[in-house]
């Protein structure tokens, strides 16, 4: 179980951090949910109705995500992790692997991952090939019930116990590139704040829950995140004053 060390930082990321890597967000103009009905492609009911359409949607997103490169914001968080180790936990709503591609490893994917396949019959998980179909037999039970290992609306997000423990122990909670529309992630800032954390938002524009943050900075993640990481490292690495 991953916890954040006492006085640590919990970072929550959303689609906005990957936008400058060329991956579209959901709710911005032209975003995925303006072009697809989420009921069709991001619910268990949609998958039951038309599994081929759902696989087509995620196969395309997987191909895009695998071709994408991390940007300066992902790189800055990986740099922060190298400096802070267990005092940093990255919780992401993103299903891409750009945090890991930038070198971060303490990353919890609460909405699953495009790089995973999941058997809807037995729950077995395995690495996703580039393109999946429901007919692909499960390596464990042989069922033709292959689905992407992503969390759909109406399903329970992953790692909630670890996230809850981390929020309770965090000194600082930072939300990056998320619109604050989707629960339970939308409630994390208030939860961390109620447990004594300072809360900071780094986003292109004020999010839906903007009033729960002690501080907000608005602009592109590729600029805001490296600047914030520099600040944290300057403060935390400042040597203790020498006694005279
Ligand atoms: P949204 O598309 O809802 O929000 C993206 C946020 O990023 C918006 O507030 C934008 O203003 C901001 N943004 C856009 N470009 C940015 C940039 N270059 N730098 C900084 N911020 C930028 O995406 P999420 O909040 O991640 O869930 O969406 C949450 C969940 O809703 C997703 O995980 C997905 C979706 O339905 C599931 O599929 C279960
Ligand atoms: Zn199976």
């Amino acid at each position: 179980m991953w916890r954040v060390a006492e006085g640590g930082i919990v970072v929550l990321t959303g689609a906005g951090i990957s936008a400058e890597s060329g991956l579209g967000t959901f709710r911005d103009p032209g975003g995925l949910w303006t072009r697809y009905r989420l009921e069709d492609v991001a619910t268990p009911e949609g998958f039951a109705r038309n599994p081929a359409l759902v696989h087509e949607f995620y196969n395309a997103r997987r191909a895009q995500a695998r071709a994408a490169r991390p940007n300066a914001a992902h790189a800055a968080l990986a740099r922060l992790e190298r400096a802070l180790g267990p005092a940093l936990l990255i919780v992401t709503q993103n299903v891409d692997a750009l945090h890991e591609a930038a070198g971060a490893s303490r990353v919890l994917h609460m909405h699953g991952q495009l790089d995973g396949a999941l058997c809807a019959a037995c729950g077995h998980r395995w690495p996703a090939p580039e393109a999946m179909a429901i007919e692909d037999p499960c390596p464990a039970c042989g069922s033709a019930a292959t689905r992407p290992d992503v969390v759909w609306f109406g399903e329970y997000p992953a790692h909630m116990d670890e996230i809850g423990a981390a929020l309770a122990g965090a000194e600082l909670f930072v939300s990056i590139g998320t619109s604050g529309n989707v629960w339970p992630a939308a409630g994390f800032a208030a939860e961390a704040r109620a447990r004594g954390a300072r809360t900071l938002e780094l986003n292109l524009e004020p999010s839906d829950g903007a009033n729960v943050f002690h501080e907000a900075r608005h602009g592109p993640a590729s600029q805001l995140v490296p600047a914030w990481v520099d600040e944290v490292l300057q403060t935390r690495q400042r040597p203790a004053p020498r006694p005279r």
Side-chain angles (χ1 to χ4, degrees), residues 61-81:
R61 288 186 63 201
R62 184 176 307 107
Q64 277 169 7
R66 287 184 180 180
R69 293 288 157 262
N71 65 53
H74 300 102
L77 290 181
R79 182 158 60 91
L80 188 62
E81 185 191 284

Side-chain angles (χ1 to χ4, degrees), residues 3 59 71 102 112 117 143:
R3 289 180 183 280
N59 287 342
N71 65 53
S143 297

Side-chain angles (χ1 to χ4, degrees), residues 10-13 173-178 189 200-203 207 213:
V10 175
V11 168
L12 172 71
T13 65
F173 173 85
V174 187
S175 176
I176 303 174
T178 177
L200 168 66
E201 166 159 275
L202 305 178
N203 204 46
S207 69
F213 294 97

Side-chain angles (χ1 to χ4, degrees), residues 15 20 26-27 33 93 111 151 153 178-179 182 203-204 221:
E20 291 165 85
F26 296 95
R27 296 174 182 81
W33 295 157
Q93 300 169 85
H111 290 167
V151 176
F153 288 90
T178 177
S179 64
V182 175
N203 204 46
L204 203 53

Side-chain angles (χ1 to χ4, degrees), residues 16 38 44 62 72 93-94 111 152 175 181 187 190 223 244:
L38 70 83
R62 184 176 307 107
Q93 300 169 85
N94 297 344
H111 290 167
W152 286 326
S175 176
N181 268 280
Q223 292 174 21
R244 283 170 186 264

Side-chain angles (χ1 to χ4, degrees), residues 118-126 137-145:
L118 169 65
C119 174
C122 77
H124 181 69
R125 291 186 154 87
W126 69 99
C138 166
C141 76
S143 297

Side-chain angles (χ1 to χ4, degrees), residues 119-165:
C119 174
C122 77
H124 181 69
R125 291 186 154 87
W126 69 99
E130 182 94 20
M132 286 197 281
I134 191 166
E135 296 81 17
D136 299 341
C138 166
C141 76
S143 297
T146 291
R147 57 166 280 182
D149 190 9
V150 299
V151 176
W152 286 326
F153 288 90
E155 296 181 324
Y156 200 65
H159 310 294
M160 286 305 292
D161 290 349
E162 285 165 281
I163 296 170

